[in-house]
Amino acid sequence: MVSEPSRAVSDPGRRVQGLRVALVHDWLITLGGSDRVLLALHEVFPDAPVYTFLADPARLPAPFACLPVRTSWLQRLPGATSRHRWLVPLMPLAARTFDLRGVQVVLSSSHACAKGVLVPPRAVHICYCHTPMRYAWELRGTYLQAMPPVIRPLAAAALGWLRRWDHATSARVHHFIANSRHVAARIRAHYGREATVIYPPVDTAFFTPGERRTGEEYFLTVGRLVPYKRIDLAVEAFTRARRPLVVVGDGPEAPRLRALAGPTVRFVGEVSDDVLRDYYRGCRAVVFPGVEDFGLVPVEAQACGRPVIAYAEGGALESVVEGETGLFFRLPTPEALFGAVQAFERRRFDPGVIRRHAERFSVPRFQAEIASFVGQVWWSTSRA
């Protein structure tokens, strides 16, 4: 859910009033967790311009139309916004062209190349890192395997260059913020840098417990249908067990997943936030089978009072409390997942406890922590 500015940041926002801040973001094309973070950041710094490589405001919710967006020269390339991932190798070049003169603090929101911008002398660069670039590190093989064989050698060379660039430009960042301890560990491993953890915001004012709209019994999984989300584990597990599963989301994996699915698995595609909230409220539990840097879905589900069955790796270990707000399975197999489902069915979970846990990840909490961090960094830098 993308909400209108909450004004909940007025008190912490006073700590950074008057600072000349620029926000740098990878792209604004399809709505994802990093884009929701950007919107929350701009509420803290409402006068900050937003620099991004590419933008297509028509594909995003209305609040994004209010952002003062400044795109790179990549925007002028024909068909750029529909092929933005193919343009990632050009983004390091475009990152050098943003004019940030006069800025005191550059706050980059980066999962690809945004952290590679050149900042003015005496300016402080703080990077809110959603993840070190996946293409260059953990998922390099996955992305190469999905490409036509004829271009894989060229793509491998490009990804190798991106990896070296990604590591080199990490040294230009003055302070890293990670969206989870999981990502902080990867920043340490890939960049040799320490990071402060500030969890991303979840709209707990919108995702709330409520009445079930139907008497249907079902489990729920939510996410883009791409390989690393491992939706296939849930589809296979619930098909074999002949248990009802609703799949929310769309993507290139959809045809393969539909072919795997039996009659108890129902695909509903992409849905509005209002409909998604209804699905959360009505499910027995949300199944979260992939490894995410943080993962908003488990927290949105818990904000609605619903427990989560998650794979025990990545950000889910930080957002789900085993035995209180959900359960984990520890092998990435359909058998292990369904074993956790069976264990879940023998237990009871308190929706009130689950909801209170989710409130730790609210938008006001995120904005207060960001304002405090930026204010402290600037104060210590300006006095040095």
Side-chain angles (χ1 to χ4, degrees):
M1 173 67 178
V2 177
S3 60
E4 296 296 335
S6 63
R7 305 304 173 208
V9 299
S10 56
D11 289 335
R14 277 198 282 270
R15 304 172 195 168
V16 292
Q17 276 185 350
L19 272 183
R20 296 189 300 276
V21 178
L23 300 176
V24 185
H25 190 65
D26 289 305
W27 52 75
L28 287 167
I29 296 175
T30 55
L31 182 63
S34 66
D35 308 300
R36 299 172 194 269
V37 168
L38 176 69
L39 205 63
L41 289 173
H42 198 263
E43 291 182 16
V44 181
F45 307 104
D47 298 323
V50 176
Y51 294 84
T52 188
F53 298 113
L54 295 160
D56 188 352
R59 296 169 65 178
L60 295 170
F64 286 90
C66 301
L67 297 180
V69 173
R70 304 177 185 181
T71 56
S72 74
W73 54 266
L74 293 173
Q75 186 79 16
R76 297 192 294 271
L77 298 179
T81 57
S82 60
R83 299 178 179 87
H84 63 283
R85 296 188 186 278
W86 291 99
L87 297 177
V88 168
L90 296 179
M91 290 179 185
L93 302 177
R96 303 177 66 88
T97 65
F98 289 131
D99 184 1
L100 300 174
R101 286 176 295 181
V103 170
Q104 294 171 301
V105 176
V106 174
L107 182 52
S108 59
S109 161
S110 184
H111 59 80
C113 301
K115 73 165 180 47
V117 294
L118 299 178
V119 304
R122 299 192 182 90
V124 176
H125 182 183
I126 301 169
C127 175
Y128 189 92
C129 185
H130 305 279
T131 175
M133 195 187 307
R134 292 190 186 96
Y135 324 102
W137 302 97
E138 283 79 9
L139 296 182
R140 179 176 180 273
T142 301
Y143 281 100
L144 287 175
Q145 191 63 32
M147 294 179 181
V150 68
I151 68 169
R152 283 179 195 164
L154 180 61
L159 291 178
W161 179 83
L162 277 172
R163 182 169 177 157
R164 293 189 294 273
W165 176 87
D166 189 45
H167 181 271
T169 55
S170 68
R172 300 208 297 256
V173 175
H174 296 107
H175 300 274
F176 275 99
I177 301 173
N179 69 357
S180 65
R181 294 194 301 271
H182 176 66
V183 167
R186 292 172 60 202
I187 290 171
R188 187 180 305 115
H190 298 326
Y191 301 156
R193 301 289 303 278
E194 295 301 317
T196 299
V197 175
I198 298 180
Y199 291 117
V202 173
D203 194 347
T204 55
F206 175 82
F207 290 105
T208 58
E211 295 289 331
R212 297 182 64 178
R213 293 295 181 90
T214 71
E216 180 185 6
E217 292 283 333
Y218 63 90
F219 290 82
L220 177 69
T221 191
V222 180
R224 286 184 296 119
L225 305 187
V226 293
Y228 82 91
K229 298 282 188 179
R230 297 310 313 268
I231 304 296
D232 58 317
L233 293 181
V235 170
E236 289 190 43
F238 282 82
T239 294
R240 294 179 192 176
R242 299 181 182 179
R243 299 290 183 89
L245 175 72
V246 173
V247 180
V248 172
D250 203 356
E253 283 275 280
R256 186 178 78 87
L257 294 174
R258 291 177 184 274
L260 286 174
T264 62
V265 178
R266 180 159 60 95
F267 293 83
V268 298
E270 295 181 351
V271 300
S272 69
D273 287 329
D274 291 309
V275 173
L276 175 60
R277 181 175 58 183
D278 286 341
Y279 276 119
Y280 280 140
R281 289 171 171 176
C283 73
R284 297 188 64 186
V286 165
V287 178
F288 192 69
V291 179
E292 292 278 3
D293 306 312
F294 175 71
L296 297 179
V297 166
V299 182
E300 291 174 351
Q302 291 170 92
C304 293
R306 307 315 304 146
V308 177
I309 301 170
Y311 180 50
E313 194 172 328
L317 290 172
E318 302 171 52
S319 65
V320 179
V321 180
E322 188 160 31
E324 291 186 18
T325 71
L327 294 176
F328 293 114
F329 62 100
R330 289 172 168 77
L331 291 174
T333 64
E335 294 78 12
L337 192 163
F338 191 68
V341 172
Q342 292 176 310
F344 166 83
E345 291 176 331
R346 295 191 293 269
R347 305 183 66 136
R348 295 180 63 86
F349 291 85
D350 184 336
V353 170
I354 296 172
R355 166 68 190 184
R356 286 191 292 275
H357 170 70
E359 289 170 351
R360 297 174 53 229
F361 302 97
S362 70
V363 174
R365 180 275 321 165
F366 168 81
Q367 293 174 324
E369 290 183 15
I370 286 290
S372 177
F373 184 88
V374 172
Q376 288 174 11
V377 164
W378 176 251
W379 183 83
S380 62
T381 301
S382 62
R383 289 176 59 90

